[in-house]
Amino acid sequence: MTAAGDGPWLDDAAGRLVRPFTVSNGRTRPTIALDLMSQVRATGATPLGYLGPEHEQALDLCRAPVSVAEVAAHLKLPAAVTKVLLSDLVDGGALTTKPPEFHHNPTDRALLEAVLDGLRRQL
């Protein structure tokens, strides 16, 4: 048996060995408003402050614009934790963000009916 801290962060059989909110030091609220569809992108600047392994992984994923939801999926972390990590990187100057752009009215009845029809055809 290995001592705590000696083994990997992930175990093939057990999964993640570190609780997700340990990654964000127990913080549950980001310092900036981030939507799941918000786009984040690395600025190329060296981040200020300490970076944990998850921060570095997130920064690596953001070389090209990517949504917050995609980063969370790749990191296999809850969205709330991912938002905290990304806001740390924005605060440190390593990431930039912009809100999602809607090119249509998201509550447009015709669009919702088209989605519903498509789903019905799939079932």
Side-chain angles (χ1 to χ4, degrees):
M1 183 171 183
T2 61
D6 289 346
W9 290 97
L10 294 172
D11 179 88
D12 291 338
R16 181 174 284 281
L17 298 177
V18 176
R19 296 255 185 214
F21 287 96
T22 303
V23 171
S24 63
N25 293 325
R27 295 173 295 146
T28 58
R29 295 181 188 222
T31 57
I32 60 169
L34 288 171
D35 185 277
L36 286 176
M37 293 176 55
S38 294
Q39 297 288 305
V40 288
R41 181 178 187 151
T43 62
T46 303
L48 304 173
Y50 169 75
L51 285 184
E54 288 81 6
H55 285 93
E56 291 184 22
Q57 290 172 345
L59 189 55
D60 189 48
L61 291 168
C62 297
R63 286 189 222 154
V66 63
S67 72
V68 171
E70 289 176 86
V71 175
H74 284 289
L75 295 178
K76 297 181 180 155
L77 288 173
V81 174
T82 303
K83 288 179 182 181
V84 171
L85 294 177
L86 294 174
S87 71
D88 290 346
L89 291 167
V90 169
D91 292 343
L95 284 184
T96 186
T97 182
K98 70 177 192 172
E101 294 179 14
F102 291 105
H103 299 291
H104 60 278
N105 180 357
T107 58
D108 179 23
R109 183 177 178 94
L111 174 65
L112 295 175
E113 287 177 354
V115 170
L116 184 58
D117 289 341
L119 289 172
R120 286 183 178 147
R121 281 192 296 265
Q122 294 295 321
L123 299 175

